[in-house]
Amino acid sequence: MTGAAAGTVCLLPGGYVDGEGVVHREAEIAPLTGREEELLAALAGGSPAALATEVIARCVRAIGGVRPLTPEVAGRLLVGDRQFLLLRLREATFGERVDGRLACPWPDCGARVDIDFSTADVPVKRCAGVSATYRVELTEEAAVTDAAGAQHRAVTFRLPDGRDQEALAPLLAENPAAALTRLLERCVVGTEEPWDDPAELVARLPARARLEVERAMEERAPAVELEMELLCPECGRAFTAPFDLQDFFFGELRTGRDLLYRQVHYLAYHYHWSEREILELPREKRMAYIGVLADEIEALNDAV
């Protein structure tokens, strides 16, 4: 039977920094197979960030010299790189076209608005260079005062990654402001020197300093621009809508296990392939074989 699905190579907009400070950017990905669909069906309702880690670890074969990709490495990838990989995995699994629906946000409308675009047209913000940590020089009015009364005009931080997404997902759903504070506590390292308690440093940041640190993090981070300008055909009003790539992608992939196993049974019955062989097929190839069989069976029935 067929072997593993062919891989696709792409360049991360940011990059993975290993323990020795080497930046790895070239990613080799493969489309999701029935195995991943089975996993997603079993984990339906779980955290999208945790699912992203599992899928990336399973379907990204390598990033630069890092091979194979473990869940630990997938969790340490920058948020923008994870979004980019999910976008490319979505292309490899379903193709570039995206069709879906959103609700008009105006309270007196709520009509369903069709969305139709190509993932190839989604803007991706790339970084010129990636580092394990960054330093931002604060303006004079944003200086941080430590417990000894000394002022600091520099803050060192790292960029948010998948570990932060997974840890803060429950809090983000309940209290976005508190989640942002916790994110800073996780990502801020120190001032000119590392602090023993980054949470204390974050608590001492003036509002102006927080704003400058947040802007510096945003400027340096890779990103996939997932906002769409839409027009409601019902009420005629325009609105901007965020496109939640993780929720949408996993929603597409959550084929019920019953349907997946029916596909396995159908192909096994006619081709005599094993369950393992069929589940190793990507969805596109699996559906192509089912389509061929359906045409053959229809032709045989017409000939009777």
Side-chain angles (χ1 to χ4, degrees):
M1 196 189 146
T2 59
T8 301
V9 175
C10 56
L11 289 179
L12 297 178
Y16 172 71
V17 183
D18 66 22
E20 298 180 355
V22 178
V23 179
H24 304 265
R25 299 190 66 182
E26 187 175 270
E28 181 186 348
I29 66 173
L32 278 72
T33 69
R35 287 294 182 196
E36 283 74 51
E37 293 181 48
E38 185 178 38
L39 170 71
L40 291 172
L43 300 178
S47 162
L51 289 178
T53 298
E54 287 287 340
V55 168
I56 289 171
R58 284 171 171 262
C59 297
V60 178
R61 295 173 176 172
I63 294 181
V66 182
R67 178 193 294 268
L69 209 71
T70 64
E72 179 184 359
V73 173
R76 291 174 58 194
L77 291 174
L78 300 179
V79 171
D81 284 341
R82 286 161 61 91
Q83 290 177 329
F84 177 80
L85 287 171
L86 288 179
L87 195 66
R88 298 287 87 89
L89 284 170
R90 198 274 175 194
E91 285 179 354
T93 305
F94 293 105
E96 292 183 356
R97 298 308 308 177
V98 175
D99 298 300
R101 282 187 163 189
L102 293 175
C104 175
W106 296 96
D108 60 344
C109 181
R112 307 301 290 179
V113 181
D114 292 330
I115 58 172
D116 178 14
F117 63 91
S118 170
T119 53
D121 296 330
V122 175
V124 176
K125 174 193 166 192
R126 294 184 175 272
C127 301
V130 179
S131 176
T133 59
Y134 300 83
R135 174 169 160 156
V136 57
E137 296 294 333
L138 302 174
T139 57
E140 186 175 350
E141 58 269 29
V144 183
T145 304
D146 63 23
Q151 287 198 326
H152 303 269
R153 290 276 302 278
V155 171
T156 305
F157 62 87
R158 65 169 177 82
L159 295 176
D161 59 25
R163 296 169 299 179
D164 303 314
Q165 283 185 304
E166 292 188 44
L168 299 180
L171 182 59
L172 181 62
E174 298 177 2
N175 191 332
L180 179 56
T181 297
R182 287 286 297 116
L183 180 64
L184 289 175
E185 291 173 356
R186 292 174 64 91
C187 293
V188 168
V189 177
T191 51
E192 297 84 356
E193 299 292 338
W195 281 43
D196 293 333
D197 185 3
E200 179 193 355
L201 171 56
V202 171
R204 289 181 174 276
L205 289 177
R208 175 76 184 189
R210 281 187 57 142
L211 179 61
E212 292 180 13
V213 172
E214 290 165 11
R215 284 179 177 172
M217 293 174 69
E218 184 177 357
E219 288 171 359
R220 289 162 174 78
V224 177
E225 305 295 341
L226 294 173
E227 284 196 344
M228 299 175 292
E229 301 295 330
L230 300 173
L231 182 69
C232 178
E234 187 69 25
C235 68
R237 286 175 285 197
F239 63 96
T240 301
F243 182 71
D244 193 319
L245 177 62
Q246 289 185 160
D247 282 349
F248 183 80
F249 183 34
F250 294 138
E252 288 181 305
L253 285 167
R254 281 194 183 108
T255 303
R257 273 182 291 183
D258 181 63
L259 177 58
L260 178 63
Y261 293 155
R262 285 177 183 275
Q263 294 174 355
V264 172
H265 170 75
Y266 187 73
L267 291 173
Y269 181 81
H270 289 281
Y271 287 123
H272 308 293
W273 293 336
S274 69
E275 178 189 60
R276 178 185 60 79
E277 290 174 315
I278 297 169
L279 287 176
E280 286 177 354
L281 290 172
R283 174 180 290 207
E284 182 181 21
K285 206 163 194 177
R286 204 168 63 242
M287 296 308 296
Y289 280 121
I290 289 174
V292 169
L293 279 172
D295 291 341
E296 289 293 328
I297 291 172
E298 183 178 357
L300 288 174
N301 289 336
D302 291 342
V304 174

